[in-house]
Amino acid sequence: MNQFLDDSCVKYPIICGPMYPCSNPELVAAVSEAGGLGVIQPISLTYVHGYDFEEGLIYIKSLTNKPLGMNLLIEKSSLKYKERMQGWIAIALKHGVRFFITSLGKPDWVVEMVHPYGGKVYHDVTNAHWAKIAMDCHVDGLICVNASAGGHAGEMQARELYELLKNTPLPLVCAGGISDHQGYKEVMEMGYSAVQMGTAFIATDECKVPQSYKEAIITARKEDIVRSTNLTGVEVSVINTPYIKAMGLHPKGILAWMLRQPRLKKIARFVLMLRSLKKLKKMLKGTSEHEGFFQAGKSVEGITKIRSVSEVIRELVGP
């Protein structure tokens, strides 16, 4: 039995990776409705798409009665932010969400909140160090983020990461580089229990991003994907558009200096993040000045047209 399917109660072992800013309610619901697992990204839902969290969750549930997941960015931050996340979890649990993906931190307190309700927690990992931390916190599965992923990608290839973690007692989810049936088949035969995809779901009818973003994905190739620290202070995979080239891949001046200082790097990352959030919101509104600010992974290689979410999933799993 595929433990991921048992944990998530979905038809296909396919997760729509949580994406800032691309995880709009209609996309999340469409993935679940088509048999995968749509994952709510709370900051995207509230800050970008303008919903009160509970109202947004109720709206998503009005579009599908299938299982939903939720993502939490749990890197150490202010007490106020942690309290907000705890509130979001409580609301999600109240409305029947039982699958949670945690990123960028230690997920022990999320596990403690979720397990009493029969929920499951899968944690993003890029290497053995973070896998051990996650397992010590008693998570239920590992999202293995490889070097082909969009957003905050890992350093290892899918097979290398699988070989490193295959003896763990938890289900492993391949995150990065999957966009077609052949890629899906290869990683499932490798031994992964599921796949997590983001870029392929951006280039769909249901994703509420500008047409220019979707067209950039279907015309890009894997060699067009570069990593920039100029967006959040850590490497983020983006399409190397003229806008990215003009902006530069790395911060300069005072921000570059601050990122090298242990006591100041969090402040620098916060400044870069705020700047990027504003740019992303303008990009979603189609502001021409910011067209070309497109996060994506190397799975662009297998994406050649804009499809519906149901078509993406149907073509992925094959006959």
Side-chain angles (χ1 to χ4, degrees):
M1 178 181 291
N2 185 311
Q3 189 177 340
F4 170 77
L5 294 177
D6 183 52
D7 283 350
S8 59
C9 299
V10 300
K11 183 176 181 180
Y12 302 118
I14 300 168
I15 299 171
C16 178
M19 296 176 285
Y20 185 95
C22 303
S23 293
N24 57 283
E26 297 79 8
L27 174 61
V28 173
V31 173
S32 288
E33 189 65 17
L37 183 68
V39 177
I40 300 161
Q41 211 299 312
I43 301 176
S44 184
L45 180 65
T46 57
Y47 181 78
V48 177
H49 299 288
Y51 289 88
D52 167 81
F53 178 75
E54 186 164 20
E55 291 175 355
L57 176 54
I58 291 171
Y59 171 53
I60 293 170
K61 288 181 68 67
S62 76
L63 300 177
T64 182
N65 61 3
K66 304 293 177 59
L68 294 164
M70 177 177 163
N71 171 239
L72 294 155
L73 302 174
I74 58 172
E75 187 176 29
K76 287 183 179 179
S77 55
S78 68
L79 178 61
K80 183 177 180 181
Y81 177 65
K82 183 176 180 180
E83 289 174 347
R84 181 183 298 178
M85 287 191 290
Q86 290 171 328
W88 286 336
I89 293 173
I91 291 169
L93 289 168
K94 182 178 77 171
H95 288 280
V97 176
R98 294 293 183 268
F99 194 91
F100 296 82
I101 296 174
T102 49
S103 309
L104 300 177
K106 190 177 179 182
D108 51 348
W109 63 270
V110 180
V111 172
E112 290 170 5
M113 285 190 70
V114 168
H115 276 185
Y117 290 83
K120 304 291 183 180
V121 178
Y122 278 46
H123 190 65
D124 283 351
V125 302
T126 55
N127 53 42
H129 170 74
W130 287 109
K132 184 180 186 306
I133 290 174
M135 288 188 290
D136 287 346
C137 294
H138 306 292
V139 301
D140 304 284
L142 304 176
I143 308 289
C144 303
V145 184
N146 63 52
S148 295
H152 295 111
E155 298 297 330
M156 301 182 188
Q157 299 303 320
R159 183 173 292 279
E160 182 183 8
L161 194 50
Y162 176 76
E163 292 297 325
L164 182 69
L165 300 176
K166 67 180 181 181
N167 292 324
T168 65
L170 301 177
L172 305 178
V173 178
C174 180
I178 309 300
S179 59
D180 56 24
H181 175 67
Q182 183 60 34
Y184 171 80
K185 181 180 178 182
E186 286 177 1
V187 298
M188 294 301 286
E189 289 179 349
M190 197 180 298
Y192 281 102
S193 296
V195 300
Q196 178 173 286
M197 307 181 344
T199 305
F201 286 122
I202 298 174
T204 60
D205 300 325
E206 292 87 349
C207 189
K208 305 299 183 183
V209 298
Q211 187 71 10
S212 57
Y213 194 163
K214 299 178 185 182
E215 291 175 355
I217 287 174
I218 64 177
T219 58
R221 294 295 171 260
K222 61 183 179 181
E223 56 266 24
D224 297 318
I225 304 301
V226 295
R227 295 192 182 188
S228 172
T229 57
N230 213 2
L231 307 178
T232 66
V234 296
E235 289 189 336
V236 175
S237 297
V238 295
I239 300 175
N240 197 20
T241 61
Y243 177 77
I244 292 295
K245 292 175 182 176
M247 184 174 67
L249 294 179
H250 307 291
K252 298 177 181 178
I254 185 66
L255 284 174
W257 177 81
M258 289 174 68
L259 284 172
R260 295 192 296 269
Q261 311 306 312
R263 294 185 179 182
L264 299 176
K265 64 180 180 180
K266 284 190 176 181
I267 298 174
R269 287 176 60 182
F270 181 72
V271 171
L272 287 165
M273 178 70 76
L274 285 181
R275 188 176 72 180
S276 294
L277 294 183
K278 293 178 181 179
K279 290 178 181 178
L280 284 168
K281 288 191 77 172
K282 290 181 179 180
M283 180 274 292
L284 286 181
K285 293 178 181 178
T287 305
S288 60
E289 177 190 355
H290 295 94
E291 287 190 1
F293 184 19
F294 305 139
Q295 296 184 68
K298 293 185 178 180
S299 61
V300 293
E301 188 76 19
I303 305 169
T304 58
K305 59 183 178 179
I306 298 170
R307 299 166 288 174
S308 68
V309 163
S310 60
E311 286 177 306
V312 170
I313 292 179
R314 186 167 60 248
E315 291 174 15
L316 196 75
V317 298

